[in-house]
Coordinates of all heavy atoms in Angstrom, one line a residue:
M21 N 59.5 65.8 56.1 CA 59.2 66.8 55.0 C 60.6 67.2 54.4 O 61.5 67.6 55.2 CB 58.5 67.9 55.6 CG 58.1 69.0 54.6 SD 57.1 70.2 55.3 CE 58.0 71.7 54.9
K22 N 60.7 67.1 53.1 CA 61.9 67.6 52.4 C 61.7 69.0 52.0 O 60.7 69.3 51.5 CB 62.2 66.7 51.2 CG 62.6 65.3 51.6 CD 63.0 64.5 50.4 CE 63.4 63.1 50.7 NZ 63.8 62.3 49.5
I23 N 62.7 69.8 52.2 CA 62.7 71.1 51.7 C 63.8 71.2 50.6 O 64.9 70.9 50.8 CB 63.1 72.2 52.8 CG1 62.0 72.1 53.9 CG2 63.2 73.5 52.2 CD1 62.3 72.9 55.1
W24 N 63.3 71.6 49.4 CA 64.2 71.7 48.2 C 64.7 73.1 48.0 O 63.9 74.1 48.1 CB 63.5 71.3 47.0 CG 63.1 69.8 47.0 CD1 61.9 69.3 47.6 CD2 63.8 68.7 46.6 NE1 61.9 68.0 47.5 CE2 63.1 67.6 46.9 CE3 65.1 68.6 46.0 CZ2 63.5 66.3 46.6 CZ3 65.5 67.3 45.7 CH2 64.7 66.2 46.0
R25 N 65.9 73.3 47.7 CA 66.5 74.6 47.4 C 67.3 74.5 46.1 O 68.1 73.6 46.0 CB 67.5 75.0 48.5 CG 68.0 76.4 48.3 CD 68.8 76.9 49.5 NE 69.3 78.2 49.3 CZ 70.1 78.8 50.1 NH1 70.4 78.3 51.2 NH2 70.5 80.0 49.8
L26 N 67.0 75.3 45.2 CA 67.6 75.3 43.9 C 68.4 76.5 43.7 O 67.9 77.6 43.9 CB 66.5 75.2 42.8 CG 67.0 75.2 41.4 CD1 67.8 74.0 41.0 CD2 65.8 75.3 40.5
I27 N 69.6 76.3 43.3 CA 70.5 77.5 43.0 C 71.1 77.2 41.6 O 71.6 76.1 41.4 CB 71.6 77.6 44.1 CG1 71.0 77.8 45.4 CG2 72.6 78.7 43.7 CD1 72.0 77.8 46.6
R28 N 71.0 78.2 40.8 CA 71.5 78.0 39.4 C 72.6 79.1 39.0 O 72.6 80.2 39.6 CB 70.4 78.2 38.4 CG 69.4 77.1 38.4 CD 68.4 77.3 37.4 NE 67.4 76.3 37.4 CZ 66.3 76.3 36.7 NH1 66.1 77.2 35.8 NH2 65.5 75.3 36.8
K29 N 73.4 78.7 38.1 CA 74.4 79.6 37.5 C 74.3 79.4 36.0 O 74.6 78.3 35.5 CB 75.8 79.3 38.0 CG 76.9 80.0 37.3 CD 76.9 81.5 37.6 CE 78.1 82.1 36.9 NZ 78.2 83.5 37.0
Y30 N 73.8 80.4 35.3 CA 73.8 80.3 33.8 C 75.1 80.9 33.3 O 75.6 81.9 33.7 CB 72.6 81.1 33.3 CG 71.3 80.5 33.6 CD1 70.5 81.0 34.6 CD2 70.8 79.4 32.8 CE1 69.3 80.4 34.9 CE2 69.6 78.9 33.1 CZ 68.8 79.3 34.1 OH 67.6 78.8 34.4
L31 N 75.6 80.2 32.3 CA 76.9 80.7 31.7 C 76.6 81.1 30.2 O 75.7 80.6 29.6 CB 77.9 79.5 31.7 CG 78.3 79.0 33.0 CD1 79.2 77.8 32.8 CD2 79.0 80.1 33.8
N32 N 77.3 82.1 29.8 CA 77.2 82.6 28.4 C 78.5 82.1 27.7 O 79.5 81.8 28.3 CB 77.2 84.1 28.4 CG 75.9 84.6 29.1 OD1 74.8 84.2 28.8 ND2 76.1 85.5 30.1
P33 N 78.4 82.1 26.3 CA 79.5 81.7 25.6 C 80.7 82.7 25.9 O 80.5 83.9 26.0 CB 79.1 82.0 24.1 CG 77.6 81.8 24.1 CD 77.2 82.3 25.5
G34 N 81.9 82.1 26.1 CA 83.0 82.8 26.5 C 83.3 82.9 28.0 O 84.4 83.3 28.4
D35 N 82.3 82.6 28.8 CA 82.4 82.6 30.3 C 83.3 81.4 30.7 O 83.3 80.3 30.0 CB 81.1 82.5 31.0 CG 80.2 83.7 30.9 OD1 80.8 84.7 30.5 OD2 79.1 83.6 31.3
K36 N 84.0 81.5 31.8 CA 84.7 80.4 32.4 C 83.7 79.4 32.9 O 82.7 79.7 33.5 CB 85.6 80.8 33.5 CG 86.8 81.6 33.1 CD 87.7 81.9 34.3 CE 88.9 82.7 33.9 NZ 89.8 83.0 35.0
P37 N 84.0 78.1 32.7 CA 83.1 77.0 33.1 C 83.2 76.8 34.6 O 83.7 75.7 35.1 CB 83.5 75.8 32.3 CG 84.9 76.0 32.0 CD 85.1 77.5 31.9
E38 N 82.8 77.7 35.4 CA 83.0 77.6 36.9 C 81.9 78.4 37.6 O 81.3 79.3 37.0 CB 84.3 78.1 37.4 CG 84.6 79.5 37.1 CD 86.0 79.9 37.4 OE1 86.9 79.1 37.4 OE2 86.3 81.1 37.6
A39 N 81.5 77.9 38.8 CA 80.5 78.6 39.6 C 80.9 78.4 41.0 O 81.4 77.3 41.4 CB 79.1 78.0 39.3
L40 N 80.6 79.3 41.9 CA 80.9 79.2 43.3 C 79.6 79.5 44.1 O 79.0 80.6 43.9 CB 82.0 80.2 43.7 CG 82.3 80.3 45.2 CD1 82.9 79.0 45.7 CD2 83.3 81.5 45.5
F41 N 79.2 78.6 44.9 CA 78.1 78.7 45.8 C 78.5 78.6 47.2 O 79.1 77.5 47.6 CB 77.0 77.7 45.4 CG 76.5 77.8 44.0 CD1 77.0 76.8 43.1 CD2 75.7 78.8 43.6 CE1 76.6 76.9 41.8 CE2 75.3 78.8 42.2 CZ 75.7 77.9 41.3
I42 N 78.2 79.5 48.1 CA 78.5 79.4 49.5 C 77.2 79.2 50.2 O 76.3 80.0 50.2 CB 79.2 80.7 50.0 CG1 80.5 80.9 49.2 CG2 79.4 80.6 51.5 CD1 81.1 82.3 49.5
L43 N 77.1 78.0 50.8 CA 75.8 77.5 51.4 C 76.0 77.2 52.8 O 77.1 76.7 53.2 CB 75.3 76.3 50.6 CG 75.1 76.4 49.1 CD1 74.8 75.1 48.5 CD2 74.1 77.4 48.8
D44 N 75.0 77.3 53.6 CA 75.0 76.9 55.0 C 74.6 75.4 55.2 O 75.1 74.8 56.1 CB 74.0 77.8 55.9 CG 74.4 79.2 56.0 OD1 75.6 79.5 55.9 OD2 73.6 80.1 56.2
E45 N 73.7 75.0 54.3 CA 73.3 73.6 54.5 C 74.1 72.6 53.7 O 74.9 73.0 52.9 CB 71.8 73.4 54.0 CG 71.6 73.8 52.6 CD 71.3 75.2 52.3 OE1 71.2 76.0 53.3 OE2 71.1 75.6 51.2
K46 N 74.0 71.3 54.0 CA 74.7 70.3 53.3 C 74.2 70.1 51.9 O 73.0 70.1 51.7 CB 74.5 69.0 54.1 CG 75.3 67.8 53.5 CD 75.0 66.6 54.4 CE 75.7 65.4 53.7 NZ 75.5 64.2 54.5
V47 N 75.1 70.0 51.0 CA 74.7 69.8 49.6 C 74.4 68.4 49.4 O 75.2 67.5 49.7 CB 75.9 70.3 48.6 CG1 75.5 70.0 47.2 CG2 76.1 71.8 48.8
I48 N 73.3 68.1 48.8 CA 72.8 66.7 48.6 C 73.2 66.2 47.2 O 73.7 65.1 47.1 CB 71.3 66.5 48.9 CG1 71.0 66.8 50.4 CG2 70.9 65.1 48.5 CD1 69.6 66.9 50.7
S49 N 73.0 67.0 46.2 CA 73.3 66.6 44.9 C 73.7 67.8 44.0 O 73.2 68.9 44.3 CB 72.2 65.8 44.2 OG 71.1 66.6 43.9
V50 N 74.5 67.6 43.1 CA 74.9 68.7 42.1 C 74.7 68.1 40.7 O 75.0 67.0 40.4 CB 76.4 69.0 42.3 CG1 76.9 70.0 41.3 CG2 76.7 69.5 43.7
R51 N 74.1 69.0 39.9 CA 73.8 68.6 38.5 C 74.3 69.6 37.6 O 74.3 70.8 37.9 CB 72.3 68.4 38.3 CG 71.8 67.2 39.1 CD 70.3 67.1 38.9 NE 69.8 66.0 39.8 CZ 68.6 65.7 39.9 NH1 67.6 66.4 39.3 NH2 68.2 64.8 40.7
E52 N 74.8 69.2 36.5 CA 75.4 70.1 35.5 C 75.0 69.6 34.1 O 75.0 68.4 33.9 CB 76.9 70.1 35.6 CG 77.6 71.0 34.6 CD 78.1 70.3 33.4 OE1 78.3 69.0 33.5 OE2 78.2 70.9 32.3
Y53 N 74.6 70.5 33.2 CA 74.2 70.1 31.9 C 75.2 70.7 30.9 O 75.3 72.0 30.9 CB 72.8 70.4 31.5 CG 72.5 69.9 30.1 CD1 72.2 68.6 29.8 CD2 72.5 70.8 29.0 CE1 72.0 68.2 28.5 CE2 72.3 70.4 27.7 CZ 72.0 69.1 27.5 OH 71.8 68.6 26.2
C54 N 75.8 69.9 30.0 CA 76.7 70.4 29.0 C 76.1 70.1 27.7 O 75.6 68.9 27.5 CB 78.1 69.8 29.2 SG 79.2 70.2 27.9
N55 N 76.1 71.0 26.7 CA 75.5 70.8 25.4 C 76.4 69.8 24.6 O 75.9 69.2 23.7 CB 75.3 72.0 24.6 CG 76.6 72.8 24.4 OD1 77.6 72.6 25.1 ND2 76.6 73.7 23.5
L56 N 77.6 69.5 25.1 CA 78.5 68.5 24.4 C 78.5 67.2 25.1 O 78.5 66.1 24.5 CB 79.9 69.0 24.3 CG 80.2 70.3 23.5 CD1 81.6 70.7 23.6 CD2 79.8 70.0 22.1
H57 N 78.4 67.2 26.4 CA 78.5 66.0 27.2 C 77.3 65.5 27.9 O 77.2 64.4 28.5 CB 79.6 66.1 28.3 CG 80.9 66.5 27.7 ND1 81.4 67.8 27.7 CD2 81.9 65.8 27.0 CE1 82.6 67.9 27.1 NE2 82.9 66.7 26.6
G58 N 76.2 66.3 27.9 CA 74.9 65.9 28.5 C 74.9 66.2 30.0 O 75.6 67.0 30.5
L59 N 74.0 65.4 30.7 CA 73.7 65.7 32.1 C 74.7 65.0 33.0 O 75.0 63.8 32.7 CB 72.3 65.2 32.4 CG 71.9 65.5 33.9 CD1 71.8 67.0 34.2 CD2 70.5 64.9 34.1
W60 N 75.2 65.7 34.0 CA 76.2 65.1 34.9 C 75.6 65.3 36.3 O 75.1 66.4 36.6 CB 77.5 65.8 34.8 CG 78.5 65.5 35.8 CD1 79.4 64.5 35.8 CD2 78.9 66.3 37.0 NE1 80.2 64.5 36.9 CE2 79.9 65.6 37.6 CE3 78.4 67.5 37.5 CZ2 80.5 66.1 38.8 CZ3 78.9 67.9 38.7 CH2 79.9 67.3 39.3
K61 N 75.7 64.3 37.2 CA 75.2 64.4 38.5 C 76.2 63.8 39.5 O 76.8 62.8 39.2 CB 73.9 63.7 38.6 CG 73.3 63.7 40.0 CD 71.9 63.0 40.1 CE 71.4 63.0 41.5 NZ 70.2 62.2 41.6
A62 N 76.4 64.5 40.6 CA 77.3 64.0 41.7 C 76.7 64.3 43.1 O 75.8 65.1 43.2 CB 78.6 64.7 41.6

């Protein structure tokens, strides 16, 4: 059974393009959407 956890950071115009998440579990994938560059996944 997979348990999904979603954590988001919304940015506003003028905000620095950064986010910090402190997690206990292993991060499996990271996704970022940019209105100029599209979807990025790592």
Side-chain angles (χ1 to χ4, degrees):
M21 182 172 126
K22 292 184 180 181
I23 298 175
W24 296 88
R25 184 171 180 187
L26 175 66
I27 301 173
R28 290 184 182 174
K29 170 70 177 176
Y30 290 101
L31 300 174
N32 295 310
D35 289 350
K36 289 185 178 182
E38 59 188 24
L40 174 65
F41 301 104
I42 300 172
L43 307 171
D44 292 334
E45 60 271 2
K46 182 179 176 181
V47 175
I48 296 171
S49 69
V50 176
R51 295 179 185 173
E52 178 266 335
Y53 180 78
C54 174
N55 61 342
L56 296 175
H57 305 102
L59 183 64
W60 172 81
K61 181 179 175 185

